[in-house]
Amino acid sequence: MTDKFVKTDAEWKALLTPDQYRVARRGGTEPAFQNAYHAEKEAGTYQCVCCGADLFSSKDKFDSGTGWPSFSRPVAEGVVTTAQDHAHGMLRVEVLCARCDAHLGHVFDDGPRPTRQRYCMNSTALNLIPQKK
Ligand SMILES: [Zn+2]
């Protein structure tokens, strides 16, 4: 398994921008469409903004029309974990970075074949590393 990447709240605050902290460490949600990657087409790997773990590939990104970057699967097994989220009177499945427990977004089962999964992520929690050309 991956080694855990643990920091104190004060360390995260110092490391991240206020937006990154609010989304990734406090379970916030960025506004639809007003975020960096919802329409991003560049090839590359999306890393965790907190710890740099590889999380998603542009190969699995699709246009969900929701205004958030959406992926049909993580880049590898075990890089994300899930938890039940009861916030806002709904039961949703929260997606977290397996290495540092950053809040990334939610996963829904209305995605494209073959996985039928839609990982609805916050751009703020991700950092796109473009593929070397
Ligand atoms: Zn992480």
Side-chain angles (χ1 to χ4, degrees):
M1 275 308 289
T2 45
D3 287 334
K4 276 281 183 187
F5 189 92
V6 181
K7 290 194 177 292
T8 66
D9 203 50
E11 286 172 327
W12 284 124
K13 261 189 183 153
L15 198 72
L16 302 170
T17 70
D19 276 350
Q20 289 167 347
Y21 177 81
R22 187 180 61 79
V23 170
R25 309 311 321 177
R26 283 285 167 268
T29 300
E30 68 195 8
F33 298 100
Q34 290 162 44
N35 59 75
Y37 299 135
H38 74 91
E40 180 64 61
K41 300 273 195 258
E42 178 94 45
T45 301
Y46 290 83
Q47 294 184 337
C48 175
V49 80
C50 294
C51 74
D54 289 352
L55 297 178
F56 295 98
S57 165
S58 58
K59 288 200 277 291
D60 300 313
K61 193 172 187 289
F62 67 97
D63 184 3
S64 64
T66 59
W68 286 285
S70 302
F71 303 87
S72 56
R73 72 184 91 206
V75 70
E77 200 135 333
V79 298
V80 298
T81 57
T82 55
Q84 287 197 353
D85 177 3
H86 296 272
H88 311 295
M90 296 178 276
L91 174 59
R92 294 180 297 171
V93 181
E94 181 186 12
V95 180
L96 303 136
C97 173
R99 189 152 94 176
C100 75
D101 295 329
H103 169 78
L104 304 170
H106 292 90
V107 62
F108 303 90
D109 57 8
D110 57 8
R113 290 165 184 272
T115 67
R116 295 197 179 275
Q117 299 211 295
R118 172 169 60 92
Y119 284 81
C120 184
M121 300 290 101
N122 288 285
S123 294
T124 310
L126 301 174
N127 184 27
L128 173 59
I129 307 299
Q131 209 168 61
K132 290 199 178 68
K133 292 183 180 131

